[in-house]
Structure formats: structure tokens, C-alpha cells
Amino acid sequence: MISRVCLVHYHEIGLKGKNRARFENQLIVNLRHALKDYPVQDIKRISGHLRIRISDDQADEKILEAIAQTVSQIPGVARASLAFRTAQQEEEFCQAAVDALTQAAAARAASTLSGLAASGSFAVSAAASSDGFETFKVRARRSATDYHLHTLELNRLVGSVLCEHFPDKKVDVHNPDIVVHVNVVQGDVYVYAHSLVGVGGLPVGTAGKVVSLLSSGIDSPVASWMVGRRGAIVVPVHFSGRPMTSDASEYLCQDIVEKLKSAGSIGRMYVVPFGAVQREISLAVPQSLRIIMYRRMMFRIAERVARLEGAQALVTGESLGQVASQTLENITATNEVVDIPVFRPLIGSDKQEIIARAQQIGTFEISSQTAPDCCTLFMPRRPETHARLREVHAAEALFDFEAALEQLMQQIEYIDTGDCPSYKPPRELRTYHATLGPAAVPIS
């Protein structure tokens, strides 16, 4: 009997040694959480893959496509393939190969037409107007060594059947349009030709927890996503200009978190009403050093949240030399106030590379909206680009940063996303955000 399944492929996890099972198990947990609203019967490890089995009565093609699309967004997944599961009978897996090639050709043709429409071209290419491909090959793999056919024999057998069904198509073993995979595994045969490319990386929950300084701009959401893709649980902290500005940036950050939720890496988002303290700092310190003083305070608060959350590093969206606060001297002056590592995934990226990644993960349109926040509040006309630590220390002595830190920690609020299965909230800082959160009063 032929049934439909989704096969999950991973690359980096396969390189792990004795702790590989831990990464696989965490990926299974994350997949179950991401697919909780779909009719998934079970998720099982099979010979270097994960198999997602759908309830037979709900194995609709659209549901399978939606499952594969969701799976492809989960860190740790290299590819998600819509596969046919058959018995080790030649008639069944050969028929499955015909069906798999037909579906892959249709998906390829639809993708080509979609690309032409997106580019504004009305000229339909030969590939788009045909049934989607000109060449193919069969790639067989036999994990079950007790099966009587060798991989080369499987290639010839399935290839000959496909040549009969598609007589106008050619076999190209070097650069085919479509590859039909035939895997003999644990008493079954899995046949597929259509796959969605995943985000790669490692499963969230295998690399600890980090606190990310999240703004509504383009850079910090990308940095947060990149660290989450490496297996870290990300706890964003947003510094709002409230009460000196509106809370519009907070809503944009919530929208950004909603976009990033598909990866399952975002824990709780904290919001710090930073505007009043920022104004006090701007009145007390030299104008040229304001930005550095703001960022030193932000880093102190983020580190305090990290201690409460059990996080082991901070994450920022800084790119070397992009703005005044991101020169080597100013980065050094900011780093000085914290004792935990600060990750800067974008430090060597230019703006166009960051924008391209933001478009890929779906945050660019949100970040392109303008909203007043602390990043544009009380900015100096001529910010210092090469701060000297001696001058920074002298300026900091003009303001009671410790008292301001305690004040802000009393005012900090949070918004729960509830979409990271590995995240465990701390017992401290239990005040909901007054307007965005699920309640308007603190929890006792």
C-alpha cells in the first residue's frame, strides 16, 4: 500500500558524534510543537532522517504541502521532502517513482511560471510551457542490506520504468532537472522528487539561551534569527522611547516576534520604557557621548535580564562601522560594562546583505515602517566616533547609573509569545505589558 509522508533531512546534526541523539530528539520536540495544529500521527527517526506520518484519512496534498512548508522553517532542517512510502515491492515503488516525478515536474513548472510573473515577464519559456522538465535521474540508496537488489540495480529498474512513462525525456546523471530518490529503509521504500529547502542550522534548545537587544529596525531581527538558527533560545529586550515617544515601536517589535515565531526560537519579549531615563542621561553627560551612555545603560539592563533568565550571552545587530556607535572604539566602550559575551552575527555584513536576509525571513516590510523609539530620541548633532575610555568614565560619573538601572528594572514589562517549547520563564520580572500582554495587572 502506498501512503504519503514528509521526510525531514538534516546535514549538520548528522556530523555529531555520541550526542547526536540529543540533537535529533530536540528536533523532534520542536517539530511536534510546530505541527501541533496538523493531523500528525507520529514523528520517527529512520536512518539519518525523520519521518512525519500523517493520519491516513487526512493525507490531503495541500495539508502535506503546508506541513513541509512549516517544517522547512524550523532550525536544524536542511530539506523537507514530500515522499511516497511503499512496501519493498517493485510494482509499488516504481509506480511511486512515476507519481513523484509527475508531482515534482508540476511543482517545477509552477515555480517557473511564478518566477516569470514576479519578474514582470510575460514571455513564457519553453520550460515553463512544457511539463516542467527535460532531464531526470534516479538516485537509489539501500540502508536495508537484506534487500535483494543492489543500488545500481534499483537505479536501472526504476529508471527504465520512468523512461517508459516519459519517452520524450532524457536521463542526465550529471546535471538533471529532477532527481528521483528511492531509499530502501527498515522494511519500507521511500520515494520522493520534490523537496523544500530548509533553513539549516541546529535545533533550538541545543545551544543555551541568549538575550537579544531588539529594535524595530532591520538589523537586530536578522541577528536574532541567525543566533536562533544556531540552536539558541532568544529572549528579546526592546528599549522603547515611552513615555517621551509613542509605543508604536513596541507594536512593530511584537509583529517582528510574530514573524520569527515560525522558527520556534523566541521566548519572552521584554519591554523597557527607556525614554525618561534617556532624557536624564542626555541632560547630564556631554552631548557627543550620549549614544555611548545610552548603550552602556542598555547593555547593563540586558545583562541583568540575562542573569535572571539564565542566559549566557547578549546579541546585537551591530555591523562594523555602519553608524557612529559601531566603530571599534565605541564597541569597546560599550562592551566594558558587561561581563558576559556579546554576539554580533552581522559584524562583517553590509546593509544590502542584511536587507536580503530580512526579506528572506519576512521582517523587512515591518522594519521598513517608521516609528519613534529610543534610537532616534535625544540624538547628538555630532556623536563621538572614537571614544576614549578615560572620557567615557568621566562622563559616567556625572550621572547615577545604578539608581537609574534599579528604576528601569522595576518598570520592565514582558510579552509572552508561548511558541518556544524549550523556553522556561524565570520567576522574577512577572509584570505583563499593560497593553500588549495578556493582562493589565502584575501577577502576585
Side-chain angles (χ1 to χ4, degrees):
M1 178 180 177
I2 300 177
S3 61
R4 300 305 307 277
V5 297
C6 179
L7 286 183
V8 180
H9 311 256
Y10 45 78
H11 292 162
E12 202 164 342
I13 295 176
L15 301 177
K16 301 298 179 183
K18 294 181 180 179
N19 61 347
R20 172 174 166 177
R22 180 173 74 89
F23 287 84
E24 290 177 327
N25 289 334
Q26 184 63 60
L27 182 55
I28 290 174
V29 169
N30 296 348
L31 289 170
R32 282 178 178 151
H33 183 79
L35 299 174
K36 60 183 182 295
D37 296 328
Y38 292 97
V40 173
Q41 188 168 332
D42 61 38
I43 303 177
K44 182 181 179 181
R45 285 183 288 179
I46 55 161
S47 185
H49 301 79
L50 298 180
R51 184 195 68 197
I52 301 174
R53 194 158 54 128
I54 317 300
S55 301
D56 291 338
D57 58 339
Q58 299 189 55
D60 180 80
E61 198 65 30
K62 290 184 178 179
I63 292 178
L64 285 166
E65 286 278 0
I67 287 174
Q69 185 64 48
T70 301
V71 167
S72 68
Q73 303 303 312
I74 305 300
V77 175
R79 285 182 296 127
S81 300
L82 299 177
F84 294 86
R85 178 192 181 193
T86 78
Q88 291 181 0
Q89 298 177 5
E90 296 179 8
E91 297 81 4
E92 283 196 9
F93 62 72
C94 285
Q95 181 58 50
V98 172
D99 295 340
L101 183 53
T102 302
Q103 291 190 0
R108 180 181 170 86
S111 177
T112 303
L113 287 170
S114 176
L116 288 171
S119 65
S121 173
F122 295 97
V124 180
S125 68
S129 60
S130 70
D131 49 6
F133 75 109
E134 295 299 328
T135 60
F136 71 93
K137 70 173 287 187
V138 178
R139 180 177 294 158
R141 187 170 70 91
R142 188 185 62 162
S143 298
T145 56
D146 58 341
Y147 187 62
H148 67 283
L149 290 179
H150 192 270
T151 53
L152 293 178
E153 295 172 313
L154 279 170
N155 283 336
R156 284 195 290 267
L157 171 63
V158 177
S160 64
V161 172
L162 293 177
C163 287
E164 290 177 8
H165 278 78
F166 302 92
D168 57 331
K169 307 303 179 184
K170 297 179 180 179
V171 175
D172 184 346
V173 297
H174 299 294
N175 188 30
D177 293 330
I178 298 176
V179 178
V180 179
H181 297 264
V182 181
N183 294 348
V184 182
V185 181
Q186 298 176 3
D188 295 316
V189 180
Y190 296 91
V191 182
Y192 60 92
H194 176 43
S195 299
L196 298 180
V197 178
V199 298
L202 296 171
V204 174
T206 59
K209 188 188 290 186
V210 299
V211 166
S212 172
L213 281 73
L214 181 71
S215 75
S216 59
I218 296 172
D219 301 344
S220 57
V222 175
S224 301
W225 180 86
M226 292 180 70
V227 175
R229 190 179 65 157
R230 297 307 306 164
I233 301 167
V234 180
V235 179
V237 177
H238 174 61
F239 292 87
S240 170
R242 179 162 48 95
M244 308 308 294
T245 69
S246 72
D247 57 358
S249 68
E250 299 167 35
Y251 284 91
L252 291 181
C253 283
Q254 189 184 37
D255 290 343
I256 288 169
V257 167
E258 285 294 318
K259 281 292 183 183
L260 299 179
K261 276 171 60 175
S262 62
S265 61
I266 304 296
R268 165 181 291 177
M269 184 176 86
Y270 290 94
V271 177
V272 182
F274 193 55
V277 169
Q278 192 173 353
R279 180 177 181 274
E280 294 173 13
I281 295 173
S282 71
L283 295 173
V285 305
Q287 183 182 118
S288 62
L289 295 176
R290 283 180 188 174
I291 296 177
I292 295 174
M293 295 297 108
Y294 300 156
R295 292 195 66 77
R296 282 167 72 95
M297 175 59 85
M298 291 176 186
F299 272 44
R300 286 187 173 101
I301 296 171
E303 184 183 39
R304 183 75 71 87
V305 173
R307 299 296 186 198
L308 294 172
E309 283 276 357
Q312 297 172 299
L314 304 182
V315 177
T316 76
E318 292 165 302
S319 173
L320 187 61
Q322 185 169 258
V323 294
S325 64
Q326 297 174 15
T327 63
L328 280 177
E329 292 86 351
N330 290 1
I331 287 174
T332 300
T334 306
N335 271 11
E336 186 192 32
V337 299
V338 297
D339 296 325
I340 62 177
V342 181
F343 296 157
R344 295 177 171 88
L346 308 180
I347 196 68
S349 302
D350 63 34
K351 198 65 177 182
Q352 294 306 311
E353 292 171 330
I354 299 170
I355 288 174
R357 179 69 81 176
Q359 290 171 332
Q360 175 193 342
I361 64 177
T363 59
F364 178 73
E365 294 297 329
I366 302 170
S367 298
S368 298
Q369 302 177 53
T370 57
D373 64 4
C374 69
C375 295
T376 57
L377 194 59
F378 307 121
M379 289 292 105
R381 287 189 295 273
R382 290 187 177 86
E384 178 62 65
T385 57
H386 302 286
R388 298 178 178 85
L389 286 177
R390 180 180 68 254
E391 296 174 354
V392 171
H393 295 159
E396 199 160 64
L398 302 173
F399 182 77
D400 190 348
F401 279 86
E402 286 302 318
L405 175 61
E406 295 303 323
Q407 174 189 337
L408 290 171
M409 291 304 296
Q410 291 297 319
Q411 297 173 346
I412 195 170
E413 302 163 338
Y414 76 84
I415 306 164
D416 271 329
T417 68
D419 222 52
C420 179
S422 301
Y423 176 73
K424 293 179 176 57
R427 298 184 65 84
E428 298 88 350
L429 303 178
R430 300 187 64 186
T431 303
Y432 283 129
H433 190 289
T435 56
L436 302 181
V441 295
I443 297 178
S444 59

